[in-house]
Amino acid sequence: AQTVTQSQPEMSVQEAETVTLSCTYDTSESDYYLFWYKQPPSRQMILVIRQEAYKQQNATENRFSVNFQKAAKSFSLKISDSQLGDAAMYFCAYRSPRRETSGSRLTFGEGTQLTVNP
Amino acid sequence: DAGITQSPRHKVTETGTPVTLRCHQTENHRYMYWYRQDPGHGLRLIHYSYGVKDTDKGEVSDGYSVSRSKTEDFLLTLESATSSQTSVYFCAIRGISSENLSGANVLTFGAGSRLTVL
């Protein structure tokens, strides 16, 4: 079974600075999908960014980018020019491509609580 | 909420009582999921459905049952609630998300239902 680990329960960053959130995963599959979700105090789960394992290029969405290291099974999220609205719980998630056995489910890490200081 | 509605949003109940949470979608998506969120554990899959009357267990299915009699509704039932089932419950569907991050490979979540079992 796949596992996802976020080793930083809490992180903080100054407004306008850059912060990196770590995520590692364990899998025997060669093709899969990785995601970062954001959960603000409203509790809504918001998809931030996704990465397909077969793509070598790191995904980027505006101020959010990832550092995908397939051999190391690492998938970190970098937030540039941090804003107060970035304060949230961030979850890393893994999805197997095998729909028959996994039902396209997501396996989540424990989460990292990000605080943005003004 | 991208066509997903959870009800009730908040519920307080007593140990031993039955509880049913409802997830309703308007997008006609095949796959639906129930997750629970607890501090230190992230989101964990309870059950999922891959079609009408087609369901399967997730990693924390004990004490829960589900039903899907029509495409748009996925019900989660706690036959006899226990205090360990106090949690926030999220329903998700496969697909949609946002205009920039859309597609069949993403999960879109409802707003969550907070259940307290006294």
Side-chain angles (χ1 to χ4, degrees):
Chain A
Q2 294 82 18
T3 59
V4 179
T5 302
Q6 294 178 247
S7 58
Q8 306 155 316
E10 298 176 345
M11 291 282 286
S12 63
V13 63
Q14 291 296 127
E15 196 175 5
E17 297 293 310
T18 296
V19 64
T20 299
L21 308 184
S22 301
C23 173
T24 58
Y25 56 93
D26 186 28
T27 184
S28 59
E29 297 173 319
S30 59
D31 194 17
Y32 44 86
Y33 304 90
L34 297 165
F35 305 87
W36 278 98
Y37 279 85
K38 167 186 176 181
Q39 187 182 44
S42 67
R43 210 168 62 197
Q44 183 68 46
M45 293 289 287
I46 302 167
L47 180 62
V48 174
I49 201 165
R50 91 177 148 201
Q51 174 81 42
E52 290 88 347
Y54 65 85
K55 291 185 178 180
Q56 293 185 341
Q57 186 174 5
N58 288 326
T60 299
E61 291 288 338
N62 300 315
R63 297 182 296 106
F64 297 87
S65 61
V66 299
N67 183 6
F68 173 48
Q69 301 288 328
K70 191 172 183 179
K73 298 180 182 176
S74 171
F75 183 60
S76 60
L77 175 70
K78 185 172 81 171
I79 306 174
S80 303
D81 186 25
S82 297
Q83 301 175 0
L84 295 178
D86 295 333
M89 180 73 83
Y90 286 81
F91 292 99
C92 178
Y94 172 101
R95 205 210 102 184
S96 168
R98 295 186 301 171
R99 189 185 310 169
E100 320 79 52
T101 54
S102 74
S104 301
R105 70 183 70 180
L106 292 184
T107 299
F108 286 86
E110 307 89 340
T112 296
Q113 182 68 49
L114 178 66
T115 300
V116 180
N117 300 310
Chain B
D1 287 339
I4 309 172
T5 304
Q6 291 186 228
S7 60
R9 295 290 310 279
H10 302 272
K11 186 172 181 64
V12 179
T13 191
E14 295 187 349
T15 298
T17 60
V19 176
T20 295
L21 305 181
R22 178 179 183 243
C23 180
H24 178 79
Q25 60 145 330
T26 59
E27 307 294 334
N28 201 35
H29 285 275
R30 179 183 173 193
Y31 283 84
M32 298 183 75
Y33 309 82
W34 276 109
Y35 284 86
R36 62 176 287 174
Q37 181 181 8
D38 305 287
H41 292 278
L43 280 77
R44 293 178 292 175
L45 182 65
I46 304 171
H47 283 278
Y48 69 97
S49 171
Y50 49 96
V52 173
K53 298 185 180 179
D54 291 324
T55 65
D56 204 352
K57 296 179 179 180
E59 58 184 308
V60 290
S61 60
D62 287 348
Y64 302 94
S65 62
V66 290
S67 65
R68 194 167 178 200
S69 59
K70 46 186 178 178
T71 299
E72 57 265 36
D73 288 325
F74 190 33
L75 304 180
L76 177 71
T77 297
L78 293 65
E79 298 291 348
S80 179
T82 67
S83 58
S84 65
Q85 294 175 312
T86 293
S87 187
V88 178
Y89 292 85
F90 284 94
C91 175
I93 60 176
R94 191 164 76 93
I96 320 176
S97 193
S98 69
E99 58 183 31
N100 293 326
L101 289 168
S102 61
N105 294 322
V106 303
L107 294 194
T108 299
F109 287 82
S113 296
R114 180 178 292 279
L115 175 66
T116 302
V117 184
L118 301 176

